[in-house]
Amino acid sequence: MAWDFETDPEFQRKLDWAAEFVRTEVEPLDVLYPNPYDRTDKEAMALMRPLKERVKEQGLWACHLGPELGGQGYGQMKLALLNEVLGTSFWAPSVFGCQAPDSGNAEILAHYGTEEQKAKYLEPLLAGEIGSCYVMTEPTGGSDPTTFRTRAVRDGDHWVINGEKWFNSNAQFASFHIVMVVTNPDVSPYQGMSMFIVPADTPGLEIVKNFHVHGFSEHEGHLRFTDVRVPADHLLGEEGQGFIVAQTRLGGGRVHHAMRTVALVRKAFDMMAERAVSRPMRKGPLAGLQMTQERIADSWIEMEQFRLLVLRTAWRIDKEQNYLKVRKDIAAIKVAMPKVMHDIAQRALHLHGAIGVSTDLPFVDMMNYAEVMAIADGPTEVHKITLAKEVLKDYAPGDPVYPSGYRPALREKARELVAERLEHIVGNL
């Protein structure tokens, strides 16, 4: 038996240090400085630099990357437990060197980048000197990347890109973009898309506008590419490998979103429970009312179920070492994540009364974050379809009229089995 629900003591000490460090040193930045991606905010950057050094001293910097890139090479299980700590703070991922989209882009560059690409883009990205942007979604693409229209055409030693992309997080602060485009429209999209590094200052690349997503980001860029010329050596991987390159970041990214959502869910739950025992009513605290107790009980059960599903998924990724074998589990946590986040945040908001809907408390932002998570990295509906298809692969068709649970048939089989056994027992007397 290898079942275990405990963290080894050495790593637990690291988690305890991280939890206290985030609570006392990092979370105060959340309420004073709005954007950890804005490197022009000299005051905020000056405060963050020594915090990063303390994280590095603890050996907790960029733990998703291997030692050759300055990380610890943690598996998904350790990352899940660490991200559960970091998820309480918007600044914490940047302080610990694992902020999206830079973390996923670093993984792409580490896997597919040439030595020249790594020196020019990956090294300063890992050092926190520059930021990056992942550019995939399109105004007309919706949840189906096979409908993308942004094209790149080879012209000598360059590729020329034309098209539009949008809701590209932190594009305004990026020094370079990793962009998925169509390079061969005459084959399947799964073989006809490629991934490029596009420096932010390339002529023809324009930020049309920045969308403000309430409670999540003010910098979701709408990008327009007009005859953007990119050197041929800025291709990531081989031509036509765009989908393969994308999976390097999307599989792990969905899990990391879920890990950090566990932390936000617990934060909402803790605030709800605190409110329940603090708010006086005519006959005792709010916690004494049965409807409050029902909300607390339902929320705790949903929170713990979700957390265990996330941890089991992380464990399976480490065990299988193949995201395709864990598609079902990843889809399941992606589906569960927004509902658990929304429901618990809504209950917490409701128990706080009027102040709960104000901007002085985080519940409206949390509920909107839940809807963002229902859309980002593929909408809930797509992941439900994936989950159902993966589950049904394990089942074979039975009789189309009388299902396997048809009781008359089961009784007949049981009688035959019992009769055979009785005959054998009598024969041996």
Side-chain angles (χ1 to χ4, degrees):
M1 291 291 290
W3 291 92
D4 197 348
F5 289 92
E6 291 183 332
T7 306
D8 68 80
E10 182 180 352
F11 188 59
Q12 185 60 55
R13 283 192 288 273
K14 288 187 175 295
L15 294 176
D16 292 341
W17 178 87
E20 177 67 12
F21 178 72
V22 169
R23 185 180 67 82
T24 60
E25 303 288 341
V26 183
E27 287 187 4
L29 298 180
D30 292 336
V31 296
L32 296 176
Y33 302 97
N35 197 333
Y37 296 92
D38 183 4
R39 288 167 176 78
T40 65
D41 188 337
K42 302 301 182 184
E43 185 176 295
M45 293 300 109
L47 289 168
M48 185 166 67
R49 276 191 288 273
L51 298 181
K52 287 182 176 180
E53 292 306 314
R54 290 174 63 184
V55 170
K56 291 176 181 178
E57 290 170 4
Q58 291 291 324
L60 291 173
W61 173 261
C63 290
H64 59 294
L65 297 173
E68 72 281 2
L69 297 174
Q72 295 294 320
Y74 280 170
Q76 295 297 328
M77 191 67 186
K78 280 190 171 182
L79 289 175
L81 295 168
L82 180 59
N83 274 286
E84 188 178 357
V85 171
L86 305 186
T88 61
S89 165
F90 190 53
W91 275 81
S94 293
V95 172
F96 281 72
C98 57
Q99 71 281 3
D102 296 336
S103 56
N105 289 342
E107 290 186 82
I108 286 178
L109 287 165
H111 278 86
Y112 294 99
T114 64
E115 292 307 312
E116 292 77 13
Q117 290 169 347
K118 290 177 182 178
K120 187 172 183 179
Y121 298 106
L122 180 58
E123 290 178 13
L125 183 66
L126 293 178
E129 298 169 1
I130 61 174
S132 65
C133 178
Y134 184 65
V135 181
M136 184 172 178
T137 55
E138 297 190 2
T140 59
S143 62
D144 186 2
T146 64
T147 65
F148 286 174
R149 300 176 182 177
T150 300
R151 288 283 312 278
V153 178
R154 186 69 181 258
D155 181 22
D157 293 333
H158 288 76
W159 287 87
V160 181
I161 302 175
N162 283 281
E164 296 195 13
K165 300 280 188 177
W166 73 348
F167 283 87
N168 305 291
S169 299
N170 302 302
Q172 179 179 344
F173 305 110
S175 295
F176 70 93
H177 309 276
I178 292 181
V179 187
M180 188 174 184
V181 298
V182 178
T183 48
N184 186 351
D186 299 324
V187 299
S188 163
Y190 296 100
Q191 284 80 47
M193 292 197 188
S194 303
M195 203 77 81
F196 292 90
I197 301 171
V198 181
D201 59 358
T202 305
L205 175 55
E206 168 193 5
I207 297 180
V208 179
K209 71 170 294 183
N210 280 302
F211 291 96
H212 178 196
V213 180
H214 183 76
F216 183 74
S217 171
E218 296 183 355
H219 306 285
E220 297 294 319
H222 177 181
L223 304 184
R224 179 174 293 146
F225 296 78
T226 305
D227 294 330
V228 173
R229 297 183 67 84
V230 180
D233 62 6
H234 277 46
L235 177 69
L236 280 163
E238 300 294 329
E239 182 183 343
Q241 282 191 331
F243 270 85
I244 296 173
V245 176
Q247 286 307 313
T248 302
R249 79 188 312 283
L250 291 177
R254 288 164 181 151
V255 180
H256 298 164
H257 276 313
M259 294 167 182
R260 291 173 187 170
T261 301
V262 169
L264 276 181
V265 169
R266 187 171 298 281
K267 190 172 188 176
F269 178 83
D270 288 344
M271 292 180 71
M272 173 168 49
E274 179 191 63
R275 179 69 168 188
V277 299
S278 304
R279 185 70 167 177
M281 306 298 289
R282 280 184 294 178
K283 295 183 178 180
L286 187 61
L289 302 179
Q290 288 183 339
M291 291 188 70
T292 299
Q293 294 164 3
E294 180 184 45
R295 290 188 174 100
I296 296 292
D298 287 345
S299 297
W300 188 90
I301 292 168
E302 292 166 13
M303 175 176 67
E304 293 300 318
Q305 286 175 332
F306 176 57
R307 179 176 186 266
L308 289 173
L309 183 59
V310 172
L311 291 176
R312 179 182 178 275
T313 300
W315 172 80
R316 285 210 66 211
I317 294 171
D318 288 346
K319 180 175 182 290
E320 299 291 350
Q321 292 296 306
N322 186 338
Y323 280 112
L324 291 178
K325 292 184 177 180
V326 197
R327 287 185 71 195
K328 174 175 61 180
D329 307 74
I330 294 173
I333 61 173
K334 183 65 170 63
V335 170
M337 174 168 48
K339 179 170 175 33
V340 173
M341 181 76 255
H342 172 275
D343 289 355
I344 294 178
Q346 190 277 332
R347 293 177 193 135
L349 179 155
H350 195 71
L351 288 184
H352 279 77
I355 196 173
V357 298
S358 75
T359 55
D360 284 353
L361 289 176
F363 302 123
V364 173
D365 289 347
M366 288 178 173
M367 291 173 66
N368 199 62
Y369 170 84
E371 191 55 39
V372 170
M373 290 298 100
I375 296 171
D377 293 339
T380 296
E381 293 83 355
V382 169
H383 291 285
K384 283 185 176 181
I385 292 169
T386 297
L387 175 56
K389 287 180 176 178
E390 291 296 313
V391 168
L392 292 173
K393 285 179 182 178
D394 295 331
Y395 292 84
D399 189 302
V401 178
Y402 295 108
S404 59
Y406 183 60
R407 286 178 172 176
L410 292 175
R411 289 193 196 98
E412 187 59 34
K413 287 183 179 179
R415 288 192 187 100
E416 292 174 2
L417 177 63
V418 169
E420 182 180 331
R421 289 182 178 176
L422 287 174
E423 182 179 349
H424 178 74
I425 291 170
V426 171
N428 285 293
L429 290 176

